[in-house]
């Protein structure tokens, strides 16, 4: 609820201390209870002091700390680009924040510079943020402590206009120096004031020199530097795929750029090769970029310095046609060598010119050999290399979930691919196992891929060399069947964290972590914490900080609380709140594969049969922003003592062919990452059809039946939608028992802070009667 009763008008300015009403976890988050500043809103936990800013302001939010945030309900007058700035001070050079709108990070991390003194304030923020008309919640989030915050202002961003008065026609070519009018931060960004090249548009800060390109062009943008960008208003004649290329030169091998259209990265990072000389130019870019008809702002952004830029061309991408004249029927199986017609960059990409295999389609660059597969197939695409791809025009008979598999061989354990449909990555990375010999083939792929009825372009992309490819299969996924309800199922444990449920202080610390118990009797269910499952054993939170900690310092990295919040049924409830503010290895930066985590871990003394677990969970609203691709967030896992693990994560594996982040999806893996055996991945399901709920409650369920035979089963659902139903062996080579069940786990490779709420936990010794049907 707005502090004044009505939403704050945008554009406009407002005081930081007038954050919304609603209290801790709703209108703000403060790491320490109480208003340590002792001024204004004394019943809140935000630390507020009197303002010493030269511009006044009454009060200041003091010592804004990593992970803390403030929310403001605003009303945006009109959809437009806005500049969002904070009036802030800091005595550190590492202070930083980001701004969220309705849970979406709209600024990325913004650094608060060292202003020289805590009482010296200045405006700092992000320009050109797109805001839609209407009511929103604007949230200021501290990414790196400390800074003081006086006020916030949101002003209409200056508009850029085409240099020649009318938008540049696309398809077509245009000179780099004819970027839009509007000045620094609007039409371009240059790191250093002034046109050091001294040619053309002398009142701008872009460095422009005379062109020495053999193709001419008049002028060249010189020494394009990391973070600099140029904007061009363009008019696209028709919605289609386009090839976007820069005429560039570089004497370095690390130069790179990306291209944005209306603020969206549509190319991903493109390397500018060493052209041998700063005056030797060549075309470099991205093919097959989807652009819609109409007016847009095309922005060239330097990802890695330096390069020189002469001109830009945007041309219609060549069209492909099916090899046999008609699209390949799906469901069905087809030969890899029958990729589309259209040539290099349109129907395929091969890193080296020429058909080195010397068989079939000799006028193409794809390397094709005779098949030695036991199943035949005529020909095989040989030595599929990192970055190469093949495209196939297919006709899908009916919208459904399909199992897509490749008939492949490899003598490496690192080979991998992904599959795109109409430029969208629909599988994530799939590993091709070491088949033992280049002539021994097996099926490998992804189950449950959603395909819509109609004509599409299916593309196979090699993520890691090498493998051989014989054929491709796309068949309708067999219907998933709910696990049978067991009449003898017993409820082993149930709790909604009500009654006397509480945490003990962290204890039993070891070098890089501590343990924490949860105790008490749940007044709503009568069950006592901790749960007693499979003969008992320790059941507690393991706080792994990946730094030297003790009971008094582990809270600097993570903590657990029981909070009263609005539950999944819309009424107040007590719930488990878990937060990791930082990791020992990396602070608030992404930790990658480091082990810092906060896992509620059951450590049973024995394994006594089937198990079903469910709980309600609510992810932080900025989950997607914390998982800068490629990244992951673990939801649940179980492990044996040495030889088998099942793990489910919310993942985003990078950019699709259009440079857009692949949306959050579910990945469920069965592997042996439980002990010290050489790593094996037994199965992997990547589910892109069931959404990953963010900022809202969802019910997670998992059931498993352990077996070394075909009756083994792992079943999981989110809000009643099945995300995996894997049948087959799920017992490892040592026949080891499950000794760790992490339910839930707070564990991510992304940036910090990370947090979540958990409620209404149930554990059964079979599939329960009240879990189905949905």
């Amino acid at each position: 609820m707005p502090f004044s009763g009505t939403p704050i008008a945008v554009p406009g300015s407002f005081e930081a201390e007038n954050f919304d009403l609603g209290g801790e976890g709703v209108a703000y988050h403060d790491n320490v209870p109480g208003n340590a500043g002792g001024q204004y809103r004394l019943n809140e936990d935000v630390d507020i002091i009197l303002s010493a800013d030269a511009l006044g302001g009454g009060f200041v939010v003091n010592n804004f700390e990593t992970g803390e945030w403030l929310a403001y309900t605003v009303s945006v007058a009109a959809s437009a680009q806005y500049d969002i700035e904070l009036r802030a001070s800091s005595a550190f050079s590492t202070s930083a924040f980001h701004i969220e709108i309705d849970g979406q990070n709209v600024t990325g991390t913004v650094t608060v510079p060292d202003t020289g003194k805590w009482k010296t304030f200045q405006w700092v923020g992000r320009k050109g943020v797109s805001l839609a008309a209407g009511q929103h919640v604007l949230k200021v989030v501290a990414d790196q402590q400390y800074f003081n915050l006086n006020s916030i202002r949101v002003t209409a961003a200056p508009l850029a206009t085409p240099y020649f008065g009318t938008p540049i026609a696309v398809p077509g070519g245009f000179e780099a120096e004819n970027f839009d009018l509007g000045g620094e931060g609007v039409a371009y960004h240059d790191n250093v004031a002034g046109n050091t090249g001294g040619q053309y548009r002398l009142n701008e800060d872009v460095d422009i020199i005379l062109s020495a390109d053999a193709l001419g062009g008049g002028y060249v943008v010189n020494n394009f530097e990391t973070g600099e960008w140029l904007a061009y208003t363009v008019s696209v004649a028709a919605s289609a795929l386009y090839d976007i290329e820069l005429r560039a030169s570089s004497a370095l091998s690390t130069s790179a750029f990306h291209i944005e259209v209306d603020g969206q990265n549509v190319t991903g990072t493109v390397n500018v090769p060493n052209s041998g000389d700063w005056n030797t130019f060549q075309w470099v870019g991205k093919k097959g970029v989807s652009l819609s008809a109409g007016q847009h702002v095309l922005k060239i952004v330097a990802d890695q310095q330096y390069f020189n830029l002469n001109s830009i061309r945007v041309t219609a991408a060549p069209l492909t046609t099916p090899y046999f004249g008609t699209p390949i029927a799906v469901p069905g199986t087809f030969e890899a060598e029958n990729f589309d017609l259209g040539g290099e960059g349109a129907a395929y990409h091969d890193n080296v010119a020429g058909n080195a295999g010397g068989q079939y389609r000799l006028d193409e660059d794809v390397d094709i050999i005779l098949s030695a597969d036991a199943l035949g197939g005529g020909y095989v695409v040989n030595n599929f290399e990192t970055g190469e791809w093949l495209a196939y025009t297919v006709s899908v008979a009916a919208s459904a979930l399909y199992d897509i598999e490749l008939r492949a061989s490899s003598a490496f354990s690192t080979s991998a691919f992904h599959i795109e449909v109409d430029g969208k990555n629909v599988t994530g990375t799939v590993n091709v196992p070491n088949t033992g010999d280049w002539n021994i083939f097996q099926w490998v792929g992804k189950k449950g891929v959603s395909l819509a009825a109609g004509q599409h372009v299916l593309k196979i992309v090699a993520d890691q060399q090498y493998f051989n490819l014989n054929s491709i299969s796309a068949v309708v996924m067999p219907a998933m069947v709910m696990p049978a309800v067991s009449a003898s199922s017993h409820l082993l444990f149930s709790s909604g964290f009500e009654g006397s449920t509480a945490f003990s202080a962290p204890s039993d610390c070891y070098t890089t972590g501590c343990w924490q118990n949860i105790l008490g009797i749940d007044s709503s269910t009568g069950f006592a914490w901790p749960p007693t499952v499979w003969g008992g054993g320790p059941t507690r939170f393991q706080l792994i900080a990946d730094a030297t900690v003790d009971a008094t310092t582990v809270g600097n990295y993570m903590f657990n609380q029981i909070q009263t919040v609005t539950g999944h049924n819309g009424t107040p409830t007590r719930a488990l709140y878990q937060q990791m503010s930082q990791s020992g290895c990396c602070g608030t930066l992404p930790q990658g594969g480091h082990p810092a985590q906060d896992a509620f871990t059951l450590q049973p003394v024995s394994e006594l049969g089937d198990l079903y677990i469910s709980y309600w969970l609510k992810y932080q609203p900025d989950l997607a922003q914390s998982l800068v691709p490629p990244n992951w967030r673990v939801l649940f896992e179980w492990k044996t003592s040495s030889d088998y693990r099942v793990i489910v994560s919310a993942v985003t594996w990078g950019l699709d062919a259009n440079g857009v982040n692949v949306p959050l999806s579910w990945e469920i893996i069965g592997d042996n990452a439980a002990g010290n055996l050489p790593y094996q991945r037994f199965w992997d399901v990547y589910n892109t059809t069931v959404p990953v709920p963010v900022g809202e409650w969802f019910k997670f369920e998992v059931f498993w039946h352990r077996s070394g035979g075909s009756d083994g089963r792992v079943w999981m659902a989110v809000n009643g939608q099945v995300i995996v139903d894997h049948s087959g062996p799920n017992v490892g080579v040592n026949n080891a028992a499950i000794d760790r069940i992490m339910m839930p786990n707070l564990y991510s490779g992304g940036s910090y802070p990370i947090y979540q709420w958990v409620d209404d936990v149930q554990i059964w010794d079979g599939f329960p009667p009240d879990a189905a049907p949905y």
Side-chain angles (χ1 to χ4, degrees), residues 84-103:
I84 306 179
E85 297 172 290
L86 306 190
R87 182 79 177 166
S89 71
S90 178
F92 299 106
S93 60
T94 55
S95 308
F97 69 92
H98 73 266
I99 305 283
E100 297 175 7
I101 299 293
D102 301 332

Side-chain angles (χ1 to χ4, degrees), residues 654-743:
L655 304 175
D656 63 19
N658 296 317
V660 178
N661 287 347
V662 176
L664 284 171
S665 305
W666 299 110
E667 184 167 36
I668 307 94
I669 298 171
D671 61 19
N672 67 348
N676 297 316
L677 295 171
Y679 182 74
Q680 283 184 279
R681 181 173 293 194
F682 306 119
W683 53 271
D684 182 353
V685 173
Y686 184 66
N687 188 305
T688 61
T689 61
V690 177
V692 177
V694 174
E696 62 184 69
W697 288 101
F698 65 90
K699 185 177 183 180
F700 170 74
E701 300 170 89
V702 55
F703 166 82
W704 67 87
H705 170 71
R706 290 257 282 158
S707 173
S710 61
D711 62 328
R713 192 167 191 183
V714 175
W715 177 95
M716 298 181 190
V718 169
N719 286 336
Q721 295 179 279
V722 177
I723 61 172
V724 64
D725 191 1
H726 178 79
S727 297
N730 53 30
V731 174
V733 295
N734 298 326
N735 200 31
I738 294 173
D739 66 348
R740 287 158 290 174
I741 304 172
M742 284 75 111
M743 51 147 290

